């Protein structure tokens, strides 16, 4: 450091630094070639970590070198990873703050614009991603997330063993998932995949069968129960909502109650449900059906699982519950993949946890129009376990 300035009123500190003329050679940022002499030099000002309560700016001398491969090119300076006016340390501090707070909160903390914070966070995540080791994919999860009427669906591929999302694709067609297999994996990697937890959604099955021939498809609890929840919601709407007037008021705000599991409800909420059941037997039956279907995944043997499922489906014939009859047909059509749960052990709750993390990020802030940013963000969440609320609950 050869110069410094401090402004006690504005609370700023400025430092001027230049390299010592020692043995260290200059390195071309393009090809990595080492040079003894500089072509010319320039000064860059970057924001660095604060000193005490002082906002700190460092003015640093940066050299350019001239070589055969790149012509005149700026030297490589580890402290300055990008063209943005921030030091690497500073960007890391911002990135870390972004792990547990929204971009707007971090922006206030550091005195930056929210868009600048997002750009810094993205660069920091890209560097983190480039430096880390990625585990092999043996068991995969495929899920879809509904983004809304305009953007529709997002297909999410995750690694079931590490609970890490790997890839996002627009829509939920066969071509969407084909895209993942073609872009992200070599043939050898595709052959190594042994199991996939997916929704009972034909396009995904077709894509997996085509690209990962050694992969067993498992229709897991999370996805099947999603369909059971849809069925109970249909019954609720038919029995209360469509009748209008007084009936409509009775069931208002009770949707999540019907979708909740009995064990997770407080005594008061259980009583609310019981009152609802007293008014309508069909809703009561639908709720019991959903609750009992959940037990299907407690069986470890195919025979026992199949037996339980048949006993669950059988009484539906005498009950006029169309949505559940439809669900039963769907389960029978996908029987092999449901029973695969007994043949291939896959961790339950991972797809659900990844899904929950993505949704919580989407709820928390806008600015995720950039899917790459969203993906890196959820990956870091999985790696640092900052917000693994859903998984903890499931475990
Ligand atoms: Zn070069």
């Amino acid at each position: 450091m050869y110069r410094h300035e401090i402004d006690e009123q504005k609370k700023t500190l400025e430092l001027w630094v230049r390299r010592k003329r020692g043995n260290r050679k200059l390195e071309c940022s393009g090809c990595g070639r080492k040079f003894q002499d500089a072509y010319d030099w320039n000064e860059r000002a970057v924001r660095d970590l604060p000193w005490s309560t002082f906002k700190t700016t460092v003015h640093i001398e940066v050299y350019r070198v001239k070589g055969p491969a790149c012509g005149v090119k700026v030297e490589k300076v580890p402290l300055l990873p990008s063209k943005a006016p921030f030091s690497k340390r500073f960007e890391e501090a911002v990135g870390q703050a972004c792990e547990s707070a929204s971009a707007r909160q971090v922006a206030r903390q550091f005195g930056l614009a929210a868009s600048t914070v997002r750009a810094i966070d993205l660069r920091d995540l890209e560097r983190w991603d480039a430096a880390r080791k990625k585990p092999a994919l043996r068991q995969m999860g495929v899920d879809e997330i509904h983004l809304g009427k305009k953007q529709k669906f997002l297909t999410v591929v995750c690694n079931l063993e590490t609970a890490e999302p790997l890839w996002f694709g627009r829509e939920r067609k066969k071509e969407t998932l084909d895209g993942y297999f073609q872009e992200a994996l070599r043939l050898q990697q595709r052959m190594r995949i042994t199991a996939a937890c997916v929704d009972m959604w034909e396009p995904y099955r077709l894509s997996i069968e085509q690209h990962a021939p050694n992969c067993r498809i498992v229709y897991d609890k999370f996805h099947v129960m999603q369909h059971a929840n849809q069925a109970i919601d249909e019954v609720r709407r038919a029995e209360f909502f469509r009748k209008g007037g007084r009936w409509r008021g009775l069931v208002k705000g009770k949707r999540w109650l019907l979708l909740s599991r009995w064990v997770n409800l407080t005594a008061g909420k259980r009583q609310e449900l019981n009152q609802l059941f007293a008014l309508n037997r069909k809703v009561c039956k639908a709720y019991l059906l959903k609750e009992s279907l959940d037990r299907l995944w407690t069986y470890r043997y195919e025979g026992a699982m199949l037996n339980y499922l048949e006993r669950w489906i059988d009484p539906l014939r005498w009950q006029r519950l169309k949505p559940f009859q439809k669900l039963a047909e769907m389960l029978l059509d996908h029987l092999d993949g449901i029973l695969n749960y007994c043949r291939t052990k896959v961790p339950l709750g991972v797809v659900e946890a990844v899904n929950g993390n993505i949704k919580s990020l989407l709820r928390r802030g806008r600015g995720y129009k950039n899917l790459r940013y969203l993906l890196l963000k959820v990956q870091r969440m999985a790696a640092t376990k900052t917000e693994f609320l859903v998984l903890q609950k499931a475990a």
Side-chain angles (χ1 to χ4, degrees):
M1 186 181 69
Y2 61 94
R3 190 180 148 197
H4 66 270
E5 259 173 33
I6 191 157
D7 187 325
E8 297 199 33
Q9 239 126 53
K10 283 195 204 150
K11 291 272 180 199
T12 59
L13 171 71
E14 289 188 69
L15 306 171
W16 279 260
V17 300
R18 69 163 68 104
R19 69 165 65 236
K20 274 185 182 158
R21 286 310 262 155
N23 319 338
R24 246 199 76 210
K25 287 180 177 170
L26 304 166
E27 191 180 329
C28 171
S29 62
C31 61
R33 191 184 163 123
K34 305 262 169 57
F35 293 87
Q36 193 72 51
D37 298 310
Y39 174 76
D40 63 358
W41 65 275
N42 212 333
E43 194 183 85
R44 274 186 67 188
V46 293
R47 182 146 168 215
D48 204 4
L49 293 179
W51 174 72
S52 177
T53 53
F54 290 77
K55 196 173 149 179
T56 304
T57 306
V58 176
H59 300 262
I60 180 165
E61 264 180 26
V62 180
Y63 298 85
R64 289 201 300 172
V65 291
K66 190 179 178 184
C70 312
V72 176
K73 188 96 184 163
V74 73
E75 67 164 328
K76 193 173 155 192
V77 186
L79 183 70
L80 307 173
S82 79
K83 287 193 172 119
F86 307 103
S87 72
K88 186 164 178 246
R89 300 190 279 261
F90 182 82
E91 295 208 334
E92 278 166 1
V94 171
Q96 206 154 46
C98 285
E99 274 177 22
S100 48
S102 73
R104 273 165 74 194
Q105 287 169 302
V106 176
R108 218 172 303 134
Q109 183 192 339
F110 284 85
L112 297 163
S115 57
T116 309
V117 166
R118 281 191 207 103
I120 291 176
D121 192 24
L122 178 57
R123 283 198 297 274
D124 185 50
L125 288 166
E126 289 284 9
R127 285 195 290 275
W128 165 78
D129 184 58
R132 79 202 170 102
K133 233 184 117 191
K134 284 159 199 130
L137 178 62
R138 285 173 303 205
Q139 300 190 329
M140 68 191 280
V142 183
D143 194 21
E144 80 236 6
I145 287 187
H146 191 240
L147 292 178
K149 279 192 178 137
K150 218 170 140 199
Q151 298 204 64
K152 291 184 182 161
F153 288 96
L154 188 66
T155 293
V156 179
V157 176
C158 67
N159 184 334
L160 290 182
E161 289 170 299
T162 59
E164 181 192 26
L166 300 172
W167 186 85
F168 288 161
R170 296 262 180 216
E171 297 184 90
R172 51 166 183 170
K173 297 175 183 159
K174 177 176 178 291
E175 292 79 34
T176 314
L177 196 54
D178 287 348
Y180 169 68
F181 287 119
Q182 285 155 2
E183 278 169 32
L185 301 176
R186 281 173 279 115
L187 176 66
Q188 245 184 343
Q189 291 173 306
R190 286 190 266 124
M191 301 292 278
R192 230 176 273 149
I193 303 172
T194 55
C197 274
V198 293
D199 193 10
M200 294 176 283
W201 177 248
E202 209 57 4
Y204 288 160
R205 181 181 68 82
L206 293 172
S207 178
I208 291 169
E209 281 177 358
Q210 183 186 334
H211 296 282
N214 298 327
C215 178
R216 213 171 227 173
I217 288 174
V218 183
Y219 298 120
D220 63 316
K221 179 174 166 177
F222 170 61
H223 284 115
V224 174
M225 291 312 289
Q226 272 183 337
H227 290 279
N229 277 332
Q230 276 162 20
I232 199 164
D233 209 34
E234 267 177 58
V235 174
R236 175 189 70 102
R237 263 180 279 151
E239 292 303 306
F240 287 95
F241 228 61
R242 287 192 199 121
K243 287 181 181 168
R246 192 171 66 86
W247 288 100
R248 199 171 245 214
L250 281 170
V251 80
K252 211 169 180 190
K254 302 261 163 64
R255 181 173 177 267
W256 77 268
L257 263 184
L258 285 166
L259 301 185
S260 301
R261 299 219 38 217
W262 188 258
V263 287
N264 297 332
L265 293 173
T266 60
K269 294 293 171 196
R270 284 180 185 179
Q271 210 186 336
E272 267 184 59
L273 263 188
N274 275 329
Q275 284 164 355
L276 201 64
F277 296 157
L279 290 169
N280 188 296
R281 279 185 55 75
K282 271 195 184 173
V283 170
C284 177
K285 270 185 192 159
Y287 187 81
L288 292 176
L289 279 167
K290 183 202 69 148
E291 280 284 294
S292 55
L293 184 61
D294 199 278
R295 288 229 305 278
L296 190 60
W297 289 270
T298 58
Y299 292 95
R300 289 155 155 260
Y301 299 101
E302 272 176 66
M305 197 183 196
L306 181 62
N307 192 12
Y308 185 82
L309 188 62
E310 280 171 345
R311 274 187 291 139
W312 186 86
I313 288 173
D314 217 35
L316 282 173
R317 275 186 286 166
W318 297 283
Q319 288 164 0
R320 263 166 281 143
L321 285 167
K322 251 279 153 64
F324 277 88
Q325 281 161 351
K326 257 167 50 196
L327 176 65
E329 276 165 35
M330 189 183 213
L331 295 178
L332 289 173
D333 282 345
H334 297 84
L335 193 58
D336 208 43
I338 291 169
L339 296 178
N340 267 346
Y341 177 68
C342 296
R343 299 170 188 142
T344 308
K345 275 290 152 222
V346 288
L348 283 179
V350 173
V351 179
E352 191 177 3
V354 171
N355 184 318
N357 277 344
I358 295 167
K359 282 184 177 160
S360 87
L361 269 178
L362 287 170
R363 260 197 307 276
R364 208 165 62 186
R366 293 155 295 172
Y368 289 118
K369 277 170 206 126
N370 181 347
L371 282 186
R372 172 81 185 147
Y373 184 30
L374 180 64
L375 178 64
L376 285 166
K377 202 82 190 145
V378 200
Q379 285 179 334
R380 173 103 127 212
M381 259 166 111
T384 55
K385 309 258 187 298
T386 15
E387 226 163 296
F388 244 34
L389 301 171
V390 195
L391 185 62
Q392 275 166 12
K393 231 168 73 192

